[in-house]
Amino acid sequence: MQCVTNKGAGAGLRERKKQATRAALSEAAVRLAAEHGAENVTVEAISNAAGVSPRTFFNYFDSHDDVFVMMDPDVGERVRRAIRDAPAELSPLDAVREAMAAELAEVELRHEVWSLRAKVFQKSPHLLARGLGLHMAEERDLARTIARRIDPDGPGGPDVHGGTGAPCEDADIDLYPRLLAAVAGTAARVAIEHWYAHSPPLTFPEIFRDVFTHLSAGLPQPPDQTDDRPSDGRTTES
């Protein structure tokens, strides 16, 4: 048993080191691109700034552009796994909210990097287009996971990362899973943009959950408020 425990601990440590290296590369790339433009930043410069070799860079990213648009390629699978493992009594909306809230917690911790990344995208439309393509693929995978949670025996299709099946396969997914997946992505984007733009006296997780409170309530027009929170929205959540 001791050997198994040590092996698991070692695997966990290696994974944390890998995540730290990936984060260092992404942060270095974003900071350099914010100053010089993404097109003028080389793999060598990014690697040097992160304290690793160019060879190590390509252990984490397939191309120069990936370092800007794939800061954490495993986040989608972690969200889908959390949805699959969520308590059965949670509604699909609540399961998605809790899964995404856990992953988006780092947004507040890495506020500066995420803000710089948004500016880099604005100056490099090809990165924005690439990021949009990846987002759409993730959205389809999320819709499949939601569909399988609602109906495990239904035609949701394989629940795997990167499953970009033919249009006829995607058409098998019902409207609700598609809509919820799309709305969830929009909810995250709106919450992040609102937090950046207004810096209200609320934490990012609070804003994110308030966005989902509005969704849970059916998006009725809220009364006039100073902090954008629905006055009775807390009671509408399950």
Short mmCIF file of all heavy atoms in Angstrom, two decimals, residues 72-117:
data_model
loop_
_atom_site.label_atom_id
_atom_site.label_comp_id
_atom_site.label_asym_id
_atom_site.label_seq_id
_atom_site.Cartn_x
_atom_site.Cartn_y
_atom_site.Cartn_z
N ASP A 72 -4.46 26.02 -21.28
CA ASP A 72 -4.69 24.78 -20.52
C ASP A 72 -5.61 23.89 -21.34
O ASP A 72 -6.83 23.98 -21.22
CB ASP A 72 -5.31 25.09 -19.16
CG ASP A 72 -5.41 23.85 -18.27
OD1 ASP A 72 -5.17 22.74 -18.78
OD2 ASP A 72 -5.72 23.99 -17.08
N PRO A 73 -5.05 23.01 -22.17
CA PRO A 73 -5.89 22.19 -23.06
C PRO A 73 -6.70 21.14 -22.34
O PRO A 73 -7.59 20.54 -22.94
CB PRO A 73 -4.85 21.54 -24.00
CG PRO A 73 -3.61 21.48 -23.19
CD PRO A 73 -3.62 22.74 -22.36
N ASP A 74 -6.42 20.91 -21.07
CA ASP A 74 -7.14 19.88 -20.32
C ASP A 74 -8.37 20.41 -19.60
O ASP A 74 -9.12 19.64 -19.00
CB ASP A 74 -6.21 19.23 -19.28
CG ASP A 74 -5.02 18.53 -19.94
OD1 ASP A 74 -5.20 17.97 -21.04
OD2 ASP A 74 -3.93 18.55 -19.36
N VAL A 75 -8.57 21.73 -19.66
CA VAL A 75 -9.68 22.31 -18.89
C VAL A 75 -11.03 21.78 -19.36
O VAL A 75 -11.93 21.52 -18.55
CB VAL A 75 -9.64 23.85 -18.96
CG1 VAL A 75 -9.84 24.35 -20.38
CG2 VAL A 75 -10.68 24.46 -18.03
N GLY A 76 -11.19 21.59 -20.67
CA GLY A 76 -12.47 21.11 -21.19
C GLY A 76 -12.80 19.73 -20.66
O GLY A 76 -13.94 19.46 -20.25
N GLU A 77 -11.81 18.84 -20.64
CA GLU A 77 -12.05 17.50 -20.14
C GLU A 77 -12.34 17.51 -18.64
O GLU A 77 -13.18 16.75 -18.15
CB GLU A 77 -10.85 16.60 -20.43
CG GLU A 77 -10.92 15.22 -19.78
CD GLU A 77 -12.22 14.47 -20.08
OE1 GLU A 77 -12.81 14.67 -21.17
OE2 GLU A 77 -12.65 13.68 -19.23
N ARG A 78 -11.69 18.39 -17.88
CA ARG A 78 -11.97 18.47 -16.45
C ARG A 78 -13.40 18.94 -16.21
O ARG A 78 -14.09 18.44 -15.31
CB ARG A 78 -10.98 19.40 -15.76
CG ARG A 78 -9.56 18.84 -15.69
CD ARG A 78 -8.73 19.58 -14.67
NE ARG A 78 -8.58 20.99 -14.95
CZ ARG A 78 -7.58 21.52 -15.66
NH1 ARG A 78 -6.65 20.73 -16.18
NH2 ARG A 78 -7.50 22.82 -15.85
N VAL A 79 -13.86 19.90 -17.01
CA VAL A 79 -15.24 20.38 -16.88
C VAL A 79 -16.21 19.25 -17.20
O VAL A 79 -17.17 19.00 -16.47
CB VAL A 79 -15.49 21.59 -17.80
CG1 VAL A 79 -16.99 21.89 -17.90
CG2 VAL A 79 -14.75 22.81 -17.27
N ARG A 80 -15.94 18.54 -18.29
CA ARG A 80 -16.85 17.44 -18.67
C ARG A 80 -16.85 16.33 -17.63
O ARG A 80 -17.91 15.76 -17.33
CB ARG A 80 -16.45 16.91 -20.05
CG ARG A 80 -16.64 17.92 -21.17
CD ARG A 80 -16.50 17.28 -22.54
NE ARG A 80 -15.16 16.76 -22.78
CZ ARG A 80 -14.16 17.49 -23.28
NH1 ARG A 80 -14.34 18.78 -23.54
NH2 ARG A 80 -12.98 16.95 -23.50
N ARG A 81 -15.69 16.03 -17.07
CA ARG A 81 -15.62 15.00 -16.04
C ARG A 81 -16.42 15.42 -14.80
O ARG A 81 -17.14 14.61 -14.20
CB ARG A 81 -14.17 14.72 -15.65
CG ARG A 81 -14.02 13.55 -14.67
CD ARG A 81 -12.58 13.39 -14.22
NE ARG A 81 -11.68 13.30 -15.34
CZ ARG A 81 -10.68 14.14 -15.58
NH1 ARG A 81 -10.47 15.16 -14.75
NH2 ARG A 81 -9.90 13.98 -16.61
N ALA A 82 -16.30 16.69 -14.43
CA ALA A 82 -17.04 17.18 -13.27
C ALA A 82 -18.54 17.11 -13.50
O ALA A 82 -19.32 16.80 -12.58
CB ALA A 82 -16.62 18.62 -12.96
N ILE A 83 -18.98 17.36 -14.73
CA ILE A 83 -20.40 17.27 -15.05
C ILE A 83 -20.85 15.82 -14.98
O ILE A 83 -21.92 15.51 -14.44
CB ILE A 83 -20.68 17.86 -16.44
CG1 ILE A 83 -20.44 19.38 -16.42
CG2 ILE A 83 -22.10 17.56 -16.90
CD1 ILE A 83 -20.49 20.02 -17.79
N ARG A 84 -20.04 14.92 -15.50
CA ARG A 84 -20.39 13.49 -15.44
C ARG A 84 -20.48 13.00 -14.00
O ARG A 84 -21.32 12.16 -13.68
CB ARG A 84 -19.35 12.66 -16.21
CG ARG A 84 -19.35 12.87 -17.71
CD ARG A 84 -18.54 11.78 -18.40
NE ARG A 84 -17.13 11.81 -18.04
CZ ARG A 84 -16.20 12.46 -18.72
NH1 ARG A 84 -16.54 13.15 -19.80
NH2 ARG A 84 -14.93 12.43 -18.35
N ASP A 85 -19.60 13.53 -13.14
CA ASP A 85 -19.54 13.06 -11.75
C ASP A 85 -20.44 13.85 -10.80
O ASP A 85 -20.50 13.54 -9.61
CB ASP A 85 -18.09 13.14 -11.25
CG ASP A 85 -17.16 12.21 -12.01
OD1 ASP A 85 -17.65 11.27 -12.65
OD2 ASP A 85 -15.93 12.44 -11.96
N ALA A 86 -21.12 14.87 -11.29
CA ALA A 86 -21.96 15.71 -10.43
C ALA A 86 -23.11 14.90 -9.85
O ALA A 86 -23.60 13.95 -10.48
CB ALA A 86 -22.49 16.90 -11.22
N PRO A 87 -23.56 15.24 -8.64
CA PRO A 87 -24.69 14.52 -8.03
C PRO A 87 -25.91 14.49 -8.95
O PRO A 87 -26.20 15.48 -9.64
CB PRO A 87 -24.98 15.34 -6.77
CG PRO A 87 -23.67 16.00 -6.44
CD PRO A 87 -23.03 16.30 -7.76
N ALA A 88 -26.59 13.37 -8.94
CA ALA A 88 -27.72 13.18 -9.85
C ALA A 88 -28.83 14.20 -9.61
O ALA A 88 -29.58 14.53 -10.53
CB ALA A 88 -28.26 11.77 -9.72
N GLU A 89 -28.94 14.69 -8.37
CA GLU A 89 -30.03 15.62 -8.06
C GLU A 89 -29.81 17.01 -8.63
O GLU A 89 -30.76 17.82 -8.68
CB GLU A 89 -30.24 15.72 -6.55
CG GLU A 89 -29.07 16.26 -5.76
CD GLU A 89 -28.13 15.16 -5.28
OE1 GLU A 89 -28.18 14.05 -5.83
OE2 GLU A 89 -27.36 15.44 -4.34
N LEU A 90 -28.61 17.32 -9.07
CA LEU A 90 -28.37 18.63 -9.67
C LEU A 90 -28.98 18.69 -11.07
O LEU A 90 -28.87 17.75 -11.85
CB LEU A 90 -26.88 18.91 -9.78
CG LEU A 90 -26.11 19.30 -8.52
CD1 LEU A 90 -24.67 19.66 -8.87
CD2 LEU A 90 -26.76 20.46 -7.80
N SER A 91 -29.60 19.81 -11.38
CA SER A 91 -30.10 20.02 -12.73
C SER A 91 -28.91 20.15 -13.68
O SER A 91 -27.79 20.45 -13.25
CB SER A 91 -30.94 21.29 -12.79
OG SER A 91 -30.11 22.43 -12.62
N PRO A 92 -29.12 19.95 -14.98
CA PRO A 92 -28.01 20.14 -15.92
C PRO A 92 -27.38 21.52 -15.81
O PRO A 92 -26.16 21.66 -15.86
CB PRO A 92 -28.68 19.91 -17.28
CG PRO A 92 -29.81 18.98 -17.00
CD PRO A 92 -30.32 19.41 -15.65
N LEU A 93 -28.22 22.55 -15.65
CA LEU A 93 -27.70 23.91 -15.53
C LEU A 93 -26.80 24.05 -14.31
O LEU A 93 -25.71 24.63 -14.38
CB LEU A 93 -28.85 24.91 -15.46
CG LEU A 93 -28.45 26.38 -15.31
CD1 LEU A 93 -27.69 26.87 -16.54
CD2 LEU A 93 -29.68 27.26 -15.07
N ASP A 94 -27.24 23.52 -13.17
CA ASP A 94 -26.45 23.63 -11.95
C ASP A 94 -25.17 22.81 -12.04
O ASP A 94 -24.12 23.21 -11.53
CB ASP A 94 -27.28 23.18 -10.74
CG ASP A 94 -28.38 24.17 -10.39
OD1 ASP A 94 -28.27 25.33 -10.81
OD2 ASP A 94 -29.34 23.78 -9.71
N ALA A 95 -25.24 21.65 -12.69
CA ALA A 95 -24.05 20.82 -12.84
C ALA A 95 -23.00 21.55 -13.69
O ALA A 95 -21.81 21.53 -13.38
CB ALA A 95 -24.42 19.48 -13.47
N VAL A 96 -23.44 22.19 -14.76
CA VAL A 96 -22.53 22.94 -15.61
C VAL A 96 -21.95 24.13 -14.85
O VAL A 96 -20.75 24.41 -14.92
CB VAL A 96 -23.25 23.42 -16.89
CG1 VAL A 96 -22.37 24.39 -17.68
CG2 VAL A 96 -23.60 22.22 -17.77
N ARG A 97 -22.80 24.82 -14.12
CA ARG A 97 -22.34 25.98 -13.35
C ARG A 97 -21.24 25.59 -12.36
O ARG A 97 -20.19 26.23 -12.29
CB ARG A 97 -23.51 26.60 -12.58
CG ARG A 97 -23.12 27.79 -11.70
CD ARG A 97 -24.20 28.07 -10.67
NE ARG A 97 -24.35 26.93 -9.77
CZ ARG A 97 -25.45 26.65 -9.09
NH1 ARG A 97 -26.53 27.40 -9.24
NH2 ARG A 97 -25.49 25.62 -8.28
N GLU A 98 -21.47 24.54 -11.58
CA GLU A 98 -20.49 24.13 -10.58
C GLU A 98 -19.20 23.66 -11.23
O GLU A 98 -18.10 23.95 -10.73
CB GLU A 98 -21.08 23.02 -9.70
CG GLU A 98 -22.25 23.47 -8.84
CD GLU A 98 -21.88 24.64 -7.95
OE1 GLU A 98 -20.80 24.59 -7.31
OE2 GLU A 98 -22.63 25.63 -7.90
N ALA A 99 -19.30 22.96 -12.34
CA ALA A 99 -18.10 22.47 -13.02
C ALA A 99 -17.27 23.63 -13.55
O ALA A 99 -16.03 23.64 -13.43
CB ALA A 99 -18.49 21.52 -14.15
N MET A 100 -17.92 24.60 -14.16
CA MET A 100 -17.20 25.73 -14.72
C MET A 100 -16.67 26.66 -13.64
O MET A 100 -15.57 27.22 -13.78
CB MET A 100 -18.10 26.49 -15.69
CG MET A 100 -18.48 25.70 -16.92
SD MET A 100 -19.43 26.65 -18.14
CE MET A 100 -18.18 27.79 -18.71
N ALA A 101 -17.41 26.84 -12.56
CA ALA A 101 -16.96 27.72 -11.48
C ALA A 101 -15.65 27.21 -10.89
O ALA A 101 -14.76 28.01 -10.57
CB ALA A 101 -18.04 27.80 -10.39
N ALA A 102 -15.52 25.90 -10.75
CA ALA A 102 -14.29 25.33 -10.19
C ALA A 102 -13.10 25.64 -11.09
O ALA A 102 -11.99 25.93 -10.60
CB ALA A 102 -14.45 23.83 -10.01
N GLU A 103 -13.29 25.60 -12.40
CA GLU A 103 -12.19 25.85 -13.33
C GLU A 103 -11.88 27.33 -13.47
O GLU A 103 -10.73 27.72 -13.68
CB GLU A 103 -12.51 25.25 -14.70
CG GLU A 103 -12.43 23.75 -14.75
CD GLU A 103 -11.04 23.24 -14.42
OE1 GLU A 103 -10.04 23.91 -14.79
OE2 GLU A 103 -10.93 22.18 -13.81
N LEU A 104 -12.89 28.17 -13.36
CA LEU A 104 -12.69 29.60 -13.57
C LEU A 104 -12.17 30.32 -12.34
O LEU A 104 -11.92 31.53 -12.38
CB LEU A 104 -14.00 30.25 -14.03
CG LEU A 104 -14.44 29.88 -15.44
CD1 LEU A 104 -15.86 30.36 -15.72
CD2 LEU A 104 -13.49 30.48 -16.47
N ALA A 105 -11.98 29.58 -11.25
CA ALA A 105 -11.49 30.21 -10.02
C ALA A 105 -10.12 30.86 -10.24
O ALA A 105 -9.80 31.88 -9.62
CB ALA A 105 -11.41 29.18 -8.90
N GLU A 106 -9.32 30.30 -11.14
CA GLU A 106 -7.98 30.85 -11.37
C GLU A 106 -8.00 32.16 -12.13
O GLU A 106 -7.00 32.86 -12.17
CB GLU A 106 -7.12 29.84 -12.12
CG GLU A 106 -7.41 29.73 -13.59
CD GLU A 106 -6.23 29.18 -14.38
OE1 GLU A 106 -5.35 28.55 -13.79
OE2 GLU A 106 -6.22 29.39 -15.60
N VAL A 107 -9.14 32.51 -12.73
CA VAL A 107 -9.21 33.77 -13.46
C VAL A 107 -8.87 34.93 -12.53
O VAL A 107 -8.13 35.86 -12.90
CB VAL A 107 -10.61 33.97 -14.08
CG1 VAL A 107 -10.77 35.38 -14.61
CG2 VAL A 107 -10.83 32.96 -15.20
N GLU A 108 -9.38 34.88 -11.32
CA GLU A 108 -9.13 35.96 -10.37
C GLU A 108 -7.66 35.98 -9.95
O GLU A 108 -7.08 37.05 -9.75
CB GLU A 108 -10.03 35.79 -9.14
CG GLU A 108 -10.08 37.01 -8.25
CD GLU A 108 -11.29 36.99 -7.35
OE1 GLU A 108 -11.72 35.89 -6.92
OE2 GLU A 108 -11.83 38.07 -7.08
N LEU A 109 -7.05 34.79 -9.85
CA LEU A 109 -5.66 34.71 -9.42
C LEU A 109 -4.71 35.20 -10.52
O LEU A 109 -3.63 35.70 -10.22
CB LEU A 109 -5.31 33.27 -9.03
CG LEU A 109 -6.12 32.67 -7.88
CD1 LEU A 109 -5.73 31.21 -7.66
CD2 LEU A 109 -5.91 33.48 -6.60
N ARG A 110 -5.12 35.02 -11.78
CA ARG A 110 -4.25 35.39 -12.90
C ARG A 110 -4.88 36.53 -13.71
O ARG A 110 -4.83 36.54 -14.94
CB ARG A 110 -4.00 34.16 -13.79
CG ARG A 110 -3.38 33.00 -13.04
CD ARG A 110 -3.10 31.83 -13.97
NE ARG A 110 -2.05 32.16 -14.94
CZ ARG A 110 -1.76 31.39 -15.99
NH1 ARG A 110 -2.46 30.29 -16.23
NH2 ARG A 110 -0.78 31.73 -16.81
N HIS A 111 -5.44 37.48 -12.99
CA HIS A 111 -6.16 38.58 -13.62
C HIS A 111 -5.31 39.30 -14.66
O HIS A 111 -5.75 39.55 -15.79
CB HIS A 111 -6.62 39.56 -12.53
CG HIS A 111 -7.24 40.81 -13.07
ND1 HIS A 111 -6.49 41.89 -13.49
CD2 HIS A 111 -8.53 41.16 -13.26
CE1 HIS A 111 -7.28 42.86 -13.91
NE2 HIS A 111 -8.52 42.44 -13.78
N GLU A 112 -4.07 39.63 -14.31
CA GLU A 112 -3.23 40.40 -15.22
C GLU A 112 -2.95 39.63 -16.51
O GLU A 112 -3.02 40.20 -17.60
CB GLU A 112 -1.92 40.75 -14.53
CG GLU A 112 -1.00 41.61 -15.39
CD GLU A 112 0.36 41.83 -14.76
OE1 GLU A 112 0.63 41.21 -13.70
OE2 GLU A 112 1.15 42.61 -15.33
N VAL A 113 -2.64 38.34 -16.37
CA VAL A 113 -2.31 37.54 -17.55
C VAL A 113 -3.50 37.41 -18.47
O VAL A 113 -3.39 37.55 -19.70
CB VAL A 113 -1.79 36.15 -17.13
CG1 VAL A 113 -1.57 35.26 -18.36
CG2 VAL A 113 -0.50 36.28 -16.34
N TRP A 114 -4.68 37.14 -17.90
CA TRP A 114 -5.88 37.00 -18.73
C TRP A 114 -6.22 38.32 -19.41
O TRP A 114 -6.67 38.35 -20.56
CB TRP A 114 -7.05 36.53 -17.88
CG TRP A 114 -7.02 35.06 -17.60
CD1 TRP A 114 -6.47 34.45 -16.52
CD2 TRP A 114 -7.56 34.01 -18.41
NE1 TRP A 114 -6.62 33.08 -16.62
CE2 TRP A 114 -7.29 32.79 -17.76
CE3 TRP A 114 -8.25 34.00 -19.62
CZ2 TRP A 114 -7.69 31.57 -18.29
CZ3 TRP A 114 -8.64 32.79 -20.15
CH2 TRP A 114 -8.36 31.58 -19.48
N SER A 115 -6.01 39.43 -18.70
CA SER A 115 -6.29 40.73 -19.30
C SER A 115 -5.33 41.01 -20.45
O SER A 115 -5.75 41.50 -21.53
CB SER A 115 -6.15 41.83 -18.23
OG SER A 115 -6.41 43.10 -18.77
N LEU A 116 -4.05 40.70 -20.27
CA LEU A 116 -3.07 40.88 -21.34
C LEU A 116 -3.39 39.98 -22.52
O LEU A 116 -3.24 40.38 -23.69
CB LEU A 116 -1.66 40.59 -20.82
CG LEU A 116 -1.05 41.61 -19.88
CD1 LEU A 116 0.29 41.11 -19.36
CD2 LEU A 116 -0.88 42.96 -20.56
N ARG A 117 -3.83 38.76 -22.25
CA ARG A 117 -4.16 37.82 -23.32
C ARG A 117 -5.29 38.38 -24.19
O ARG A 117 -5.26 38.26 -25.42
CB ARG A 117 -4.56 36.48 -22.72
CG ARG A 117 -4.88 35.39 -23.75
CD ARG A 117 -5.08 34.08 -23.01
NE ARG A 117 -5.37 32.97 -23.90
CZ ARG A 117 -6.57 32.41 -24.03
NH1 ARG A 117 -7.60 32.86 -23.33
NH2 ARG A 117 -6.75 31.40 -24.86
#
